[in-house]
Amino acid sequence: MAVFQRQEFDVQRIGVTASIPNNDIARCMYYLKCVCTAIECDDAKILRFTNYNNYWALSDDEDEIVYKLCLALSPDVLDNKVFFHSDALCGDSGNEFYEFSQIRHQLMAVRSILIAGRTRQVNKIMTYKLSWMRNNYFGPMNRLADRFNPQRRLIRAMVESDCVIS
């Protein structure tokens, strides 16, 4: 929940430009990096999977871990809590981070979020354009679902080959 009332507070744009390799695992790792930027994420086991420039160093099993982490930390969990869809607040980029240096009682952004049974502090919020979410989450996750779900891969192959089962 985010409620903005007439009150002074300091909001600062803090995003930086990132160059993401054109690879589904790298894009998912970048998405995880954005999640960890927005919420308290000090677990070294998760942070290991945010180094998107070294996506190539992960094993197939680690690729699947990245995929499953993204499923667990999907936009459904974060939307309107720490991620906000707003083309206007993104400017020319696909996403943007904001930090509140002074939060008063009149500004109600959630202070913490429950993820996988653990309470996490919200450090920043991220705004995004739908194209950014498609490019860095929905598209890669859809393609990776085929890779990590053999049954889905079989169904897609049957549909693409016009195979009919009677």
Side-chain angles (χ1 to χ4, degrees), residues 62-162:
E62 290 170 320
D63 285 353
E64 189 168 1
I65 291 170
V66 168
Y67 171 74
K68 288 180 178 178
L69 280 169
C70 284
L71 278 177
L73 298 168
S74 75
D76 295 345
V77 173
L78 304 170
D79 235 9
N80 295 320
K81 296 178 182 105
V82 294
F83 284 4
F84 297 90
H85 179 210
S86 172
D87 290 0
L89 290 174
C90 289
D92 293 334
S93 69
N95 71 323
E96 186 64 63
F97 284 93
Y98 291 88
E99 184 173 53
F100 298 96
S101 60
Q102 262 186 354
I103 297 179
R104 302 196 181 193
H105 294 290
Q106 284 75 22
L107 175 65
M108 295 291 293
V110 293
R111 292 182 184 178
S112 61
I113 185 171
L114 187 65
I115 297 176
R118 293 181 63 188
T119 301
R120 300 290 183 168
Q121 291 301 119
V122 174
N123 296 330
K124 300 165 184 73
I125 65 164
M126 182 184 86
T127 60
Y128 66 90
K129 292 181 179 178
L130 197 50
S131 60
W132 182 92
M133 195 60 77
R134 277 191 216 110
N135 194 41
N136 293 294
Y137 184 82
F138 296 124
M141 290 297 286
N142 192 37
R143 291 185 293 275
L144 291 171
D146 290 341
R147 177 176 166 193
F148 296 119
N149 186 339
Q151 186 176 23
R152 181 175 162 157
R153 189 173 45 237
L154 176 63
I155 291 169
R156 185 179 295 259
M158 289 172 31
V159 167
E160 289 173 357
S161 68
D162 294 327

